Amino acid sequence: AAMELQPSHGLANRVATLAAGYLCYRRGSPGRGLVLRSLRRARRQDIDDVGHKYYLELVLEDVLDKDSTVNCTAEVLYHLGSKNLAPDVQFTLEGELKNTDEADNVFYNRIRSLEKELVAENIPDSHGNVSPEMEPIRRLAWVASGYIIWQNSTENTKFHLAQIKRVKQVKRSDEYLEFDYMILLHEMVSQEIIPWQMTVLWHPQHGVQVTQDSRQPKHTSG
Amino acid sequence: QVLRIKTRNEEEVKQLQLLESLEHLELDFWINPSAAALPVDVRVPAHNVQAVKAFLESQGIEYSILIEDLQAVLDKEKEDMDYSQQRDRSSSSFNYGTYHTLDDIYAELDHLASEYSSFVSKLQIGESYEKRPLYVLKFSTGGSHRPAIWLDAGIHSREWVTQASAIWIAKKIASDYGKDPSITSLLNQMDIFLLTVSNPDGYVFTHTTNRMWRKTRSKNAGSLCVGVDPNRNWDAGFGGPGASSNPCSDSYRGPSANSEVEVRSVVNFIKNHGNIKAFLTLHSYSQLLMYPYGYKCTQPADYAELNALGRAAASSIRSLYGTTFTVGSICTTIYQASGGSIDWSYDYGIKYSFAFELRDTGRYGFVLPASQIIPTAEETWLGLKKIMEHVRDNPY
């Protein structure tokens, strides 16, 4: 039997944030960033010896076009006991997402035509600025961080990408683009800022992949 | 104009490279011709546009217009930048739409106190760990020891939109007195105390060293880690769940309640004043409007009134730009967290205790673009005003 949760409830919102992160990872690209607009409904079911299952109705927003929203239903299962198993997430989108082939291709071609590998720091900067050339780099990080958030979430965590500290393009001989990111994740419950390294692969026809990631140690004094 | 040229083969690329070599055309290639599959973007001075297009057409090379009139785009951008610098700039040269250093904020406090000296004054309520002054602006049109409203911002230093909003709000209150009926009647009956930077040491640290610093900068005995979470340090369920006992943690509660001078100074001020009727505090981010409790998940006695007032305030906030705030107690809306300021103020007897979490909901988080400062301050002010009006109209 599923119990109704208040959409305003902290726990429901943590689950929704996780689902949105996973979804963004699966469907996002440099030309498309998806962000949680609102949680419409949430139900929870405790399954003996398995874990906690949540049924969500979400509204997602396209970061490139605030007026473009898409409804989504998601099921999230947090496994009992196991700290190392990522939650299972399944989702269904109502309707189609905007086609982003052109934006993706423009970015792809721009990076491929660079003479030197791209390197950048602090995106956004302290004042929240992101230069237009860095917007797709940021969206790519947002999408890739969805993977890390998914892999590391529990019912008691709520992660957001806080900032890209550093990004370095890695030269490749094939058609993929590869970037090595050092990002900062903000975990809302503990309020910790967690540095995380991730290697991200992307190609317009092949989606985003995080091929390697590792949590970094925090500095002690600052 | 800026043209985007789509080459189909090596021959066409060579033609463009030829074009590139013709210096008299003054072409500025934003993307140079290199391989057939890649688009070529080129800025063409107005007087050469016809010639370049004629050349492309004669060679059967496909192109489209990326930017019709680049100068117009640049002029508009400059106009926008000049306009946003002029906005809200009266006799002072303080730009409310950008983030400032501590020194600049402190200078503006002095400026406001001097410009509106008949009812605005600056008080020092204590010193931070690193000996920086803790300044409060007092808004008072007279009387002696009137009932008062307390408002603070920046207790967590990385939440930059809160200090920025607070200084805008200070200016708003000062300039609206005598013009806006609601604020005028409020200040004719009550005082307002506004602490724009509750954690100056942390704030300076976010400018000089670590933009993501949250805590105070006090040294912790026996640890290399610095700082205490000032919003886990109040005497409200201190030591309970939702606060860490690890000095390296960003939610470290400190060795004891009120160990942080930044917290102690506020507590002492409020106790010594004795007539504070509302305690309002600004944080970011998440877009929440919360009332007690955080340290326990049971409802406060005044739950119904606080919830209704919270909803009314959230409604006012939404009326301006559509920004939605979720209303609820700290415990149910985010998580159980002990040692928080509004729990202390409420248990102390200050019924109208609210904590705001301002924009946004995670897209930028702490590094909210400066362009959102003024809209955030404007909408937050409507919510605060709604609460203050209720406090004014419901003396206790």
Side-chain angles (χ1 to χ4, degrees):
Chain A
M3 187 181 71
E4 200 77 31
L5 296 178
Q6 288 259 48
S8 58
H9 200 273
L11 171 58
N13 271 288
R14 291 195 287 277
V15 181
T17 299
L18 162 71
Y22 177 80
L23 219 144
C24 185
Y25 172 62
R26 283 279 182 246
R27 289 284 185 273
S29 72
R32 177 196 292 136
L34 292 170
V35 91
L36 178 65
R37 161 82 77 92
S38 61
L39 172 64
R40 295 235 293 253
R41 192 179 175 201
R43 286 171 298 149
R44 165 179 162 149
Q45 188 185 13
D46 292 350
I47 306 173
D48 285 343
D49 300 325
V50 177
H52 301 150
K53 192 160 189 189
Y54 294 83
Y55 301 86
L56 308 173
E57 287 173 29
L58 311 170
V59 180
L60 300 168
E61 176 184 297
D62 186 336
V63 301
L64 277 168
D65 178 7
K66 280 199 224 315
D67 297 324
S68 169
T69 61
V70 66
N71 294 336
C72 167
T73 54
E75 283 177 23
V76 181
L77 172 63
Y78 292 92
H79 299 278
L80 206 64
S82 174
K83 286 275 143 82
N84 292 324
L85 254 184
D88 291 341
V89 186
Q90 288 179 23
F91 65 88
T92 313
L93 291 172
E94 235 177 78
E96 301 259 306
L97 292 170
K98 220 166 54 164
N99 185 291
T100 57
D101 289 349
E102 173 150 2
D104 286 342
N105 286 323
V106 166
F107 170 70
Y108 180 77
N109 291 329
R110 175 164 75 87
I111 301 297
R112 293 276 284 181
S113 68
L114 290 175
E115 276 167 19
K116 269 180 28 168
E117 281 79 47
L118 182 145
V119 174
E121 289 185 336
N122 291 331
I123 302 165
D125 67 15
S126 286
H127 293 230
N129 297 315
V130 181
S131 67
E133 308 85 65
M134 288 303 146
E135 288 279 9
I137 292 284
R138 178 161 193 258
R139 282 191 292 273
L140 182 61
W142 182 269
V143 172
S145 69
Y147 170 81
I148 297 186
I149 290 170
W150 166 45
Q151 290 290 310
N152 291 278
S153 284
T154 69
E155 285 154 291
N156 295 312
T157 60
K158 188 163 188 253
F159 287 100
H160 287 110
L161 173 64
Q163 195 182 32
I164 299 165
K165 283 309 284 178
R166 216 184 51 241
V167 57
K168 269 179 10 198
Q169 183 187 357
V170 178
K171 201 174 168 74
R172 285 185 75 92
S173 51
D174 61 17
E175 304 228 311
Y176 282 83
L177 297 186
E178 180 176 334
F179 296 94
D180 187 48
Y181 282 94
M182 183 64 73
I183 59 172
L184 296 178
L185 288 177
H186 172 225
E187 200 290 291
M188 193 77 76
V189 177
S190 64
Q191 287 295 337
E192 295 297 334
I193 299 287
I194 309 167
W196 213 291
Q197 178 272 333
M198 58 182 191
T199 304
V200 181
L201 233 54
W202 178 69
H203 182 281
Q205 268 108 55
H206 298 295
V208 177
Q209 265 179 279
V210 175
T211 55
Q212 196 251 332
D213 72 274
S214 73
R215 183 180 177 137
Q216 303 297 300
K218 209 173 90 155
H219 288 293
T220 45
S221 67
Chain B
Q1 279 186 6
V2 180
L3 305 180
R4 167 156 290 174
I5 303 169
K6 295 190 166 101
T7 49
R8 283 167 302 192
N9 53 50
E10 279 306 313
E11 179 59 41
E12 291 188 354
V13 175
K14 284 203 173 53
Q15 294 287 21
L16 289 184
Q17 287 170 338
L18 179 70
L19 204 63
E20 207 179 359
S21 69
L22 300 174
E23 286 182 10
H24 68 279
L25 288 176
E26 300 166 275
L27 299 178
D28 172 17
F29 282 83
W30 288 6
I31 302 179
N32 294 80
S34 55
L38 304 176
V40 173
D41 289 351
V42 56
R43 178 180 62 82
V44 185
H47 52 272
N48 292 326
V49 167
Q50 282 316 316
V52 171
K53 283 181 175 174
F55 172 80
L56 293 173
E57 282 159 24
S58 73
Q59 301 295 317
I61 298 175
E62 229 181 86
Y63 69 90
S64 59
I65 299 171
L66 199 59
I67 302 175
E68 183 81 44
D69 183 345
L70 184 60
Q71 190 57 52
V73 171
L74 294 174
D75 288 345
K76 174 92 181 32
E77 188 183 62
K78 178 159 200 318
E79 208 182 282
D80 287 347
M81 282 170 60
D82 287 346
Y83 176 69
S84 69
Q85 276 190 341
Q86 290 296 328
R87 263 176 87 180
D88 289 312
R89 197 197 275 200
S90 57
S91 55
S92 94
S93 58
F94 189 85
N95 180 356
Y96 290 92
T98 187
Y99 294 110
H100 289 277
T101 61
L102 183 70
D103 288 345
D104 285 350
I105 293 177
Y106 277 9
E108 183 61 9
L109 294 179
D110 284 332
H111 179 264
L112 289 172
S114 134
E115 189 179 346
Y116 300 94
S117 54
S118 61
F119 62 101
V120 181
S121 56
K122 187 183 83 171
L123 317 171
Q124 180 168 347
I125 64 165
E127 267 182 353
S128 69
Y129 182 83
E130 290 174 344
K131 304 279 183 269
R132 294 184 173 87
L134 298 167
Y135 288 134
V136 165
L137 280 185
K138 176 181 180 180
F139 299 82
S140 179
T141 61
S144 82
H145 211 229
R146 282 178 176 170
I149 292 168
W150 170 270
L151 174 59
D152 68 61
I155 194 170
H156 291 136
S157 39
R158 61 193 180 201
E159 299 167 7
W160 277 18
V161 74
T162 67
Q163 299 95 334
S165 294
I167 191 74
W168 183 94
I169 288 166
K171 171 72 177 180
K172 180 70 173 164
I173 296 172
S175 54
D176 266 12
Y177 178 72
K179 301 196 183 98
D180 174 76
S182 178
I183 277 300
T184 305
S185 88
L186 177 79
L187 283 178
N188 285 342
Q189 297 169 57
M190 300 182 75
D191 294 344
I192 298 175
F193 292 97
L194 172 50
L195 175 59
T196 54
V197 186
S198 309
N199 178 6
D201 295 348
Y203 191 60
V204 169
F205 200 72
T206 59
H207 281 271
T208 59
T209 313
N210 181 353
R211 175 63 178 83
M212 297 292 168
W213 189 258
R214 166 182 168 90
K215 301 189 287 183
T216 61
R217 291 294 302 164
S218 57
K219 296 207 188 345
N220 291 309
S223 174
L224 285 173
C225 293
V226 175
V228 166
D229 183 343
N231 207 30
R232 299 287 183 279
N233 190 245
W234 299 70
D235 193 4
F238 183 85
S244 173
S245 55
N246 179 353
C248 298
S249 166
D250 255 339
S251 57
Y252 175 49
R253 62 184 176 235
S256 59
N258 297 318
S259 63
E260 301 314 281
V261 62
E262 292 84 356
V263 171
R264 213 160 57 236
S265 303
V266 175
V267 170
N268 289 339
F269 176 82
I270 301 227
K271 283 183 167 175
N272 291 335
H273 185 280
N275 207 14
I276 304 290
K277 296 303 181 185
F279 185 97
L280 310 170
T281 183
L282 303 183
H283 290 258
S284 76
Y285 56 94
S286 288
Q287 291 169 208
L288 308 171
L289 213 170
M290 298 176 293
Y291 45 82
Y293 286 105
Y295 72 86
K296 56 186 178 181
C297 293
T298 50
Q299 282 175 5
D302 300 289
Y303 163 78
E305 184 184 1
L306 294 179
N307 189 244
L309 180 53
R311 285 183 190 288
S315 206
S316 300
I317 292 173
R318 194 171 63 243
S319 71
L320 194 57
Y321 297 112
T323 308
T324 53
F325 272 57
T326 301
V327 179
S329 73
I330 295 173
C331 189
T332 55
T333 311
I334 26 180
Y335 42 67
Q336 193 174 6
S338 57
S341 64
I342 68 167
D343 286 355
W344 171 79
S345 63
Y346 184 77
D347 279 349
Y348 185 68
I350 301 171
K351 176 164 63 160
Y352 299 109
S353 292
F354 289 93
F356 288 63
E357 293 274 0
L358 306 187
R359 292 195 194 180
D360 60 11
T361 53
R363 190 172 153 188
Y364 287 95
F366 299 121
V367 283
L368 192 72
S371 56
Q372 292 196 43
I373 294 173
I374 293 178
T376 299
E378 288 174 328
E379 70 194 9
T380 303
W381 173 239
L382 293 184
L384 290 169
K385 207 159 84 138
K386 181 63 88 176
I387 293 173
M388 292 186 184
E389 287 160 357
H390 184 93
V391 179
R392 174 197 68 201
D393 300 339
N394 292 274
Y396 65 97

